[in-house]
Amino acid sequence: MAQSMTPMEDAMRAKITEALKPTTLDIYNDSHLHSHHKAMQGVTSKETHFRAIITSEAFKGKMQPARHRMVYSLLKDEMAQEGGIHALQLRTRTPEEEEKQKQKEAQE
Amino acid sequence: MATVQEISDETSFASTVSALPSSTLAVIYFHAPWAAPCKQMGTVLSALASTYSTDAPVSFLSVNAEELPDVSEQYDVTAVPYIVLQKDNKTLETISGSDAAKVRAAVEKYAGPASGDASKAGIPPPQTVTKQAPPQAGENDGPSRDLSGYAPSPTDPKTAPEYSSGEPTNKEELFKRLGELVKAAPVMLFMKGTPSAPQCGFSRQTVGILREKGVRYGFFNILADDEVRQGLKEFADWPTFPQLWVGGELVGGLDIVREEFENDPEFLKEYSVSGQKAQAA
């Protein structure tokens, strides 16, 4: 079997799916937008900056910082390693919140 | 032999620039004393200036970006070192960062090559800055590096609280200190760089949002203090920066702050300039 070109993203998807059983999970790789930054000089990984949109019941009753912490703790190793995840933007909603936002957008 | 002229205040900047003949190229160099790449660029510029004769149509001006904030804003300076080349008050080119060769090429393009024998000219060869400039290790990084080049100057706004003395502190003391630090102001932003010179896109955006809403906040440049930088990640149980704290509680990073404002236009209203004016009335 050929090796995956996106091991980091695969790991993210696998861990988040298993732990949060999300109804929506969109992962965007924004690394190319930051590859010219000084902080990224010498870094060969193409998987450094991510944006993840996650909808899950598991977020119910939790404030945003708590929700983000849940995701951070799942990806603790990937974020701690050299050349691992450098930046992670998150959108964490419950199914109800996602629905409410969709309606709001439909009205506008 | 031309030299770099240091401009000390807003009025002298205005008068110096207007006094220049319209054919003279003005090379305006924005710097901050605490940013190491700026020392590098300063040397490069002095050397470059020295290769031009005193009556050459080029004038090198040095501006401390933090001491002359209005000028910095006028030229939309968000990071230093930053060089603006202008003639007759029209901006021809801007160069961000510390690429010496680029600056030299741009100056030669608009002002002509330096007088005198170019091969004997005293410009030092462009040096790669990567080793000397303190690298911005990632939002959540591994080994810490020497960041003393990022230490604040006395001119930095007083809202920046005191930095670690450099002696290792034990965990308990550090956490106690952090506990006080997050309450240093009702709204505290722990960011990379300073509001006038952010060193990271996410920090810059957070500063932008707070400015837009007119929120009064204290800030802390985590690039200047590695102890706080690493300690706060553990204290807050939050691996990334920027971090916004309100009333001693962590609100979150850029995405959370953005969402809070989207969901609630009144978010942080009581800390904003307009909110406080209303209270005083």
Side-chain angles (χ1 to χ4, degrees):
Chain A
M1 188 167 85
Q3 260 212 323
S4 166
M5 295 284 286
T6 57
M8 202 58 74
E9 197 177 312
D10 296 343
M12 284 173 68
R13 202 172 289 277
K15 285 186 173 182
I16 296 175
T17 306
E18 197 201 325
L20 303 175
K21 312 265 188 293
T23 51
T24 301
L25 175 56
D26 296 328
I27 302 181
Y28 300 92
N29 184 338
D30 286 339
S31 311
H32 60 285
L33 298 174
H34 302 265
S35 53
H36 58 286
H37 288 180
K38 232 185 350 186
M40 291 291 107
Q41 257 176 18
V43 173
T44 48
S45 167
K46 298 258 182 268
E47 294 194 291
T48 55
H49 293 66
F50 287 99
R51 218 180 346 130
I53 312 213
I54 315 173
T55 304
S56 162
E57 277 284 339
F59 293 139
K60 211 192 280 214
K62 295 200 169 69
M63 303 244 45
Q64 290 293 347
R67 297 181 188 187
H68 287 214
R69 283 206 182 95
M70 283 169 79
V71 182
Y72 285 151
S73 65
L74 289 174
L75 301 172
K76 202 157 89 152
D77 295 331
E78 286 80 3
M79 291 182 88
Q81 72 190 65
E82 277 274 329
I85 301 177
H86 176 97
L88 183 57
Q89 285 189 275
L90 296 174
R91 203 116 210 255
T92 48
R93 299 174 288 182
T94 62
E96 289 84 11
E97 286 163 2
E98 194 189 31
E99 192 50 48
K100 230 191 279 180
Q101 269 174 12
K102 280 209 187 111
Q103 286 176 4
K104 219 166 102 180
E105 277 158 25
Q107 281 170 9
E108 281 162 11
Chain B
M1 158 181 113
T3 53
V4 180
Q5 194 185 344
E6 174 79 34
I7 308 287
S8 49
D9 61 77
E10 322 256 330
T11 7
S12 23
F13 179 88
S15 56
T16 311
V17 170
S18 53
L20 296 173
S22 50
S23 55
T24 299
L25 174 71
V27 181
I28 310 170
Y29 160 51
F30 291 89
H31 66 92
W34 46 262
C38 288
K39 290 202 199 98
Q40 177 84 4
M41 186 49 79
T43 322
V44 167
L45 276 175
S46 311
L48 183 60
S50 64
T51 64
Y52 284 87
S53 69
T54 0
D55 47 0
V58 59
S59 182
F60 293 84
L61 308 172
S62 172
V63 174
N64 183 325
E66 303 212 321
E67 275 177 20
L68 282 74
D70 287 340
V71 180
S72 302
E73 209 156 278
Q74 196 186 325
Y75 286 90
D76 205 16
V77 180
T78 46
V80 288
Y82 189 80
I83 310 225
V84 175
L85 281 83
Q86 75 175 36
K87 223 185 240 197
D88 195 18
N89 262 304
K90 291 195 249 320
T91 302
L92 301 170
E93 195 169 325
T94 62
I95 300 163
S96 187
S98 31
D99 190 340
K102 214 160 154 196
V103 175
R104 183 159 36 103
V107 174
E108 284 184 11
K109 184 156 115 192
Y110 297 106
S115 52
D117 196 342
S119 57
K120 297 219 185 80
I123 305 178
Q127 300 160 18
T128 44
V129 188
T130 40
K131 284 219 180 91
Q132 282 152 316
Q136 289 159 208
E139 266 100 299
N140 56 324
D141 55 10
S144 50
R145 313 189 200 194
D146 176 23
L147 299 166
S148 52
Y150 280 105
S153 71
T155 52
D156 267 331
K158 295 291 183 279
T159 48
E162 291 307 305
Y163 291 90
S164 306
S165 56
E167 291 138 29
T169 7
N170 66 41
K171 183 84 78 78
E172 212 181 285
E173 272 180 42
L174 177 59
F175 274 27
K176 190 152 153 259
R177 210 183 126 222
L178 291 174
E180 295 299 312
L181 198 53
V182 300
K183 289 190 233 143
V187 181
M188 272 298 286
L189 178 66
F190 293 84
M191 61 180 290
K192 293 183 155 192
T194 63
S196 48
Q199 297 284 331
C200 137
F202 298 148
S203 288
R204 187 189 307 126
Q205 287 181 59
T206 311
V207 168
I209 295 178
L210 292 174
R211 185 185 296 145
E212 201 187 301
K213 300 289 175 180
V215 176
R216 281 177 187 227
Y217 63 98
F219 76 91
F220 191 93
N221 179 1
I222 53 115
L223 292 178
D225 189 328
D226 207 51
E227 207 177 34
V228 171
R229 181 181 188 169
Q230 302 305 335
L232 193 55
K233 283 185 199 165
E234 213 185 311
F235 181 79
D237 190 15
W238 196 264
T240 54
F241 289 103
Q243 287 186 14
L244 187 72
W245 291 69
V246 177
E249 296 262 327
L250 175 66
V251 170
L254 173 63
D255 13 15
I256 294 184
V257 171
R258 244 203 305 243
E259 252 186 80
E260 289 292 337
F261 277 113
E262 267 168 36
N263 294 337
D264 178 14
E266 305 282 305
F267 184 57
L268 297 184
K269 186 72 176 291
E270 63 267 37
Y271 302 106
S272 72
V273 182
S274 45
Q276 290 190 347
K277 278 202 193 121
Q279 277 173 10

